[in-house]
Amino acid sequence: MIHNSFAQDFIPGDQQNEADSDKVKAQEIRKALHQELLAKMVADTNERLRGTVKPVFLWTEVQKHQDDNVLLTSLVNEFLAQKPGSLPYKKNRMDRYGLMIYQLIAEKEALKPLSTKLFASIETNLKKNQITATDSSSRLELDQRAYYRYLYAYVNYLKAKATSEASQKEIFLKNAFDYSPDLIDKNRQAAYFYDMIFALSGAQKDSFQDDYLDFLTNQVEDKNQVLSTLRKMALDNPDHKMQLRQYYEDHHATGKDFGQYWQEAINSSAKIAPPISLALLDKAVFSTENLNGKWVLVDFWGTWCAPCRKEHPDMQKFYDSTVVKNPGKISLLTVACNDTEQKVLTYMEQKKYSFPVAMSDNKIQKTYTVQGYPTKVLITPQGKYVTVPFNVDWVSFVKDYSDL
């Protein structure tokens, strides 16, 4: 709450253009109260509380003393003296506040050496804490991966903006592209969402891939490089698929149609899908081994899961309009987890849902590393799979991926 709610009142904003004067006054009153509370928290005897709020406090002090270079120097040195590892990564968000302090002092000529030192310290910390995702990665590890990758991408984006030298700009933009949220990170967006909002002063920029693509299309003549960049973007976000298709057909018509190229691109980066064999509620057996050559959407849910229930009207519509009408191309399996068969049967009957349901064997969700509900995985006709991100329009994602 301190870092994602309380601290938002200190994000600099243009309140002069705020039409609602009552809202402005309320914000000013709340900000004054929060400043008073922040001063008390940073002076508290509880070491953990002080460590949590100290970066916020120093950031707000830097904001208040923009005309005092001597005091700014003292505040930044105090920030640098803190130990980034003294608390778990989410507890004090030092990288976030360090970047925001840097952006406040970067243009001050007298503080250039200090701002350069601060930036280098942040960059070093972000780079050394990068995490490789594995099938056994915990939710905390994946959160950390998403957090460190996003901010490291942002650091490289800032470096690219600060240089006019083309070769250096390309290197920095490529790093920003490579560390922008991928499919794994998109499932952990909450781990970096507020850091994005703070670093960008309330704006949203959840990827730096477009910036690299723009550079390539304007500065680089290597069409293969542009194609591979577009392919990665489309795999992370299939909204880019039409753009990829157009570029492929315009520049890389090699006898292989785009549909084949797209499936090969998915399978080259997707994981091998473990086989699934589960009894449906009607006792028929659903087996992915009998579905070679078809896409399979698998949804993990439970009657106890409110977000699952909320999306079931769309699930039924998807089943009726897409799965039933394309039986040779896609199948659907939903797996009720941590539930009882009677509860599931009653729920399906009450809601008049007819999409296929199997009860979990309490192994399948571990096999597919399900860490939250609902979770959807899309299995390709060649037996690979990708996890559909939580925070996207899953119907469009599935249709775009599977060419439906």
Side-chain angles (χ1 to χ4, degrees):
M1 289 185 67
I2 286 173
H3 296 298
N4 294 344
S5 179
F6 174 86
Q8 283 193 55
D9 279 329
F10 301 111
I11 296 177
D14 184 8
Q15 294 186 340
Q16 300 301 318
N17 295 326
E18 176 61 63
D20 188 343
S21 59
D22 290 337
K23 184 178 180 181
V24 171
K25 290 178 182 178
Q27 289 174 337
E28 290 174 348
I29 292 171
R30 187 171 65 247
K31 183 175 180 179
L33 174 61
H34 281 188
Q35 286 177 325
E36 182 180 349
L37 289 171
L38 185 58
K40 291 183 177 181
M41 286 190 287
V42 82
D44 197 88
T45 58
N46 185 290
E47 182 179 358
R48 184 173 183 181
L49 177 60
R50 292 200 311 272
T52 299
V53 302
K54 189 65 173 290
V56 187
F57 173 76
L58 292 174
W59 166 52
T60 60
E61 289 296 296
V62 169
Q63 287 187 56
K64 288 190 294 185
H65 299 286
Q66 282 292 287
D67 297 325
D68 189 337
N69 284 352
V70 174
L71 183 53
L72 288 175
T73 299
S74 176
L75 290 168
V76 174
N77 281 325
E78 187 176 356
F79 184 90
L80 285 166
Q82 295 182 101
K83 296 179 180 179
S86 61
L87 288 169
Y89 89 102
K90 274 191 172 182
K91 297 299 182 184
N92 56 10
R93 297 285 181 166
M94 279 193 63
D95 302 298
R96 171 206 289 181
Y97 297 112
L99 283 170
M100 295 165 72
I101 290 172
Y102 165 78
Q103 290 178 87
L104 288 169
I105 67 171
E107 300 305 316
K108 295 180 178 293
E109 195 61 38
L111 299 182
K112 281 288 184 184
L114 187 60
S115 65
T116 300
K117 181 180 179 181
L118 174 61
F119 190 87
S121 173
I122 297 165
E123 182 180 15
T124 298
N125 188 59
L126 292 171
K127 187 174 182 178
K128 77 176 183 181
N129 280 292
Q130 295 300 316
I131 293 173
T132 300
T134 68
D135 289 341
S136 60
S137 294
S138 66
R139 294 181 68 171
L140 176 60
E141 289 171 331
L142 294 178
D143 279 353
Q144 290 176 322
R145 178 186 190 270
Y147 167 80
Y148 284 117
R149 276 172 52 84
Y150 181 83
L151 287 183
Y152 188 60
Y154 181 58
V155 160
N156 278 277
Y157 171 72
L158 291 178
K159 291 170 71 174
K161 288 179 63 177
T163 183
S164 58
E165 205 282 310
S167 62
Q168 285 295 308
K169 186 180 286 288
E170 181 176 1
I171 291 171
F172 298 145
L173 287 175
K174 179 63 163 61
N175 280 339
F177 175 91
D178 288 340
Y179 287 90
S180 287
D182 57 13
L183 279 178
I184 297 174
D185 296 335
K186 288 176 185 292
N187 273 312
R188 317 305 309 172
Q189 189 192 50
Y192 62 86
F193 177 81
Y194 285 101
D195 305 285
M196 170 183 67
I197 295 298
F198 276 81
L200 297 170
S201 298
Q204 285 190 232
K205 186 177 178 65
D206 59 6
S207 175
F208 307 96
Q209 293 183 335
D210 282 327
D211 302 280
Y212 181 55
L213 178 64
D214 289 344
F215 177 86
L216 290 181
T217 54
N218 292 321
Q219 302 286 336
V220 179
E221 296 182 0
D222 187 343
K223 292 181 174 58
N224 286 325
Q225 191 174 355
V226 175
L227 182 68
S228 64
T229 299
L230 271 170
R231 182 177 64 237
K232 174 67 164 59
M233 292 173 67
L235 289 171
D236 287 342
N237 180 358
D239 287 348
H240 294 288
K241 185 180 173 185
M242 288 304 297
Q243 187 180 6
L244 171 64
R245 180 193 292 271
Q246 188 65 56
Y247 193 86
Y248 179 82
E249 292 176 348
D250 287 347
H251 300 286
H252 290 79
T254 59
K256 181 188 298 183
D257 69 25
F258 179 78
Q260 183 181 354
Y261 169 81
W262 175 245
Q263 284 208 8
E264 289 177 358
I266 295 172
N267 286 306
S268 68
S269 60
K271 299 178 181 179
I272 296 175
I276 298 174
S277 181
L278 293 172
L280 298 172
L281 293 180
D282 64 5
K283 305 311 177 187
V285 175
F286 186 101
S287 174
T288 54
E289 292 184 339
N290 298 328
L291 298 174
N292 286 339
K294 293 173 63 174
W295 293 87
V296 183
L297 177 64
V298 184
D299 177 64
F300 297 90
W301 66 285
T303 59
W304 45 268
C305 167
C308 304
R309 299 195 304 270
K310 184 177 180 180
E311 70 176 24
H312 278 167
D314 288 334
M315 182 68 71
Q316 184 64 49
K317 186 183 297 184
F318 176 79
Y319 177 66
D320 292 335
S321 65
T322 303
V323 179
V324 172
K325 293 184 178 180
N326 295 276
K329 188 160 186 179
I330 188 167
S331 290
L332 171 68
L333 173 67
T334 74
V335 183
C337 304
N338 306 317
D339 225 323
T340 66
E341 186 171 347
Q342 186 56 55
K343 285 183 179 179
V344 174
L345 284 166
T346 300
Y347 172 78
M348 295 294 290
E349 182 178 346
Q350 287 177 344
K351 299 295 184 180
K352 296 181 170 49
Y353 293 142
S354 60
F355 51 78
V357 182
M359 298 303 299
S360 170
D361 58 3
N362 297 319
K363 298 177 183 177
I364 190 65
Q365 60 262 49
K366 296 177 183 177
T367 300
Y368 277 87
T369 321
V370 175
Q371 296 183 330
Y373 297 88
T375 286
K376 295 173 183 61
V377 299
L378 182 62
I379 302 175
T380 74
Q382 293 74 33
K384 298 289 193 72
Y385 82 95
V386 296
T387 301
V388 180
F390 287 117
N391 58 319
V392 301
D393 176 354
W394 66 267
V395 175
S396 295
F397 185 98
V398 171
K399 287 184 175 181
D400 285 341
Y401 248 71
S402 56
D403 279 327
L404 289 169

